[in-house]
Amino acid sequence: FGASSTGSNAINAHLVETRMTKAARYTAPFAVPDARFTDTPMPLDIIWEAVTAPASQRWAVVAFGDVDGGVFAAGGVDQATGLPCAMYSLDRGATWLSSPTTFPSTGGAGFSAGNLAFGAGLFVAPVTFTQMFVSSDGISWSLAPTPPAYSSTCIYFDNDTFVTFSTNTNKLYTSQDGLVWTERTLPSSTTWACGAGNGAGVHVVAAGDRSTAVSVDNGVTWSAGGLLPFGVAPNFMACANGVWIVTALASTQTISYS
């Protein structure tokens, strides 16, 4: 899965939906692409279904929000204007409609991979260093009144807290409502790229130089963590059951930290 796409590789007006119709359990070593299942899997039937997007744009990111019965919101960049664009689905991804919002100029920036999160009843999407969009319904968007100063690399929501940050700075920002932000200090000013929390107040963020930072007080204070065993920059991070998984661009490794 690519972080973004441009030109002839842009995502066209098609989406793909998956439905798991039977349960299954897999265990595999953390290695890519040579992972092998070590348990015999139960029967699994995954059906991918192509549906049509309302326009052929560079769609980059999607998130689910538990509002009004549930809504999927997706964003990207309009290929004709270079402005942000958004779409939404109210029926579990079966049909999609364009957002009615007319987005302001962002200097060619738009919704990007890793830059959309839902929490506290709000979708939040940093777009540039000074522009952040918010939506309470996943349909209509507006500029956040007081966006943080550096927030264009990554955002996520964990343990009732939004966390966002950017590259080439030691500043990180947290918020309980997605509107009022508090500045925090990371241990170094570097190319911070991705992050995730464990749902209990422990957060980890990783940088392009393979350094990491850790917070054990829900993002308030940060200290230096271990060095990632990658030869290239990390791009995505997730956490579940006390294990952090990080993937890296142009690498055959996936690492875990618990």
Side-chain angles (χ1 to χ4, degrees):
F1 295 85
S4 62
S5 57
T6 58
S8 61
N9 292 324
I11 300 174
N12 291 322
H14 292 87
L15 303 172
V16 177
E17 178 187 57
T18 181
R19 297 174 181 172
M20 186 176 293
T21 58
K22 296 183 180 179
R25 180 171 66 92
Y26 296 107
T27 58
F30 296 114
V32 176
D34 296 322
R36 295 291 184 268
F37 293 124
T38 57
D39 277 357
T40 300
M42 298 168 59
L44 178 68
D45 182 13
I46 299 178
I47 300 173
W48 291 92
E49 202 173 302
V51 296
T52 301
S56 180
Q57 308 292 10
R58 297 203 306 267
W59 301 111
V61 67
V62 64
F64 177 79
D66 189 16
V67 292
D68 296 330
V71 56
F72 281 101
V77 179
D78 188 298
Q79 297 186 89
T81 66
L83 297 175
C85 58
M87 61 180 176
Y88 63 95
S89 173
L90 302 176
D91 56 5
R92 303 178 63 185
T95 56
W96 292 78
L97 299 171
S98 293
S99 168
T101 300
T102 300
F103 289 91
S105 175
T106 56
F111 292 85
S112 58
N115 267 345
L116 176 60
F118 176 84
L122 195 70
F123 289 93
V124 182
V127 175
T128 70
F129 285 140
T130 59
Q131 292 173 302
M132 172 181 281
F133 294 111
V134 294
S135 174
S136 60
D137 58 10
I139 299 173
S140 298
W141 295 82
S142 61
L143 282 169
T146 55
Y150 301 99
S151 63
S152 65
T153 297
C154 176
I155 188 170
Y156 65 89
F157 184 82
D158 186 84
N159 198 43
D160 298 324
T161 301
F162 286 98
V163 178
T164 187
F165 47 88
S166 188
T167 62
N168 302 318
T169 177
N170 67 339
K171 302 304 180 185
L172 176 146
Y173 297 83
T174 61
S175 174
Q176 269 63 58
D177 61 6
L179 298 174
V180 178
W181 296 87
T182 302
E183 183 178 282
R184 314 295 186 183
T185 301
L186 290 164
S188 64
S189 181
T190 184
T191 54
W192 299 106
C194 55
N198 72 343
V202 180
H203 298 259
V204 178
V205 297
D209 62 1
R210 301 185 296 129
S211 62
T212 63
V214 180
S215 172
V216 296
D217 55 8
N218 207 34
V220 176
T221 60
W222 294 81
S223 59
L227 191 68
L228 295 174
F230 284 152
V232 293
N235 61 343
F236 288 106
M237 182 185 297
C239 179
N241 298 324
V243 177
W244 277 262
I245 305 296
V246 183
T247 60
L249 292 168
S251 175
T252 59
Q253 295 174 300
T254 299
I255 65 98
S256 66
Y257 167 79
S258 177

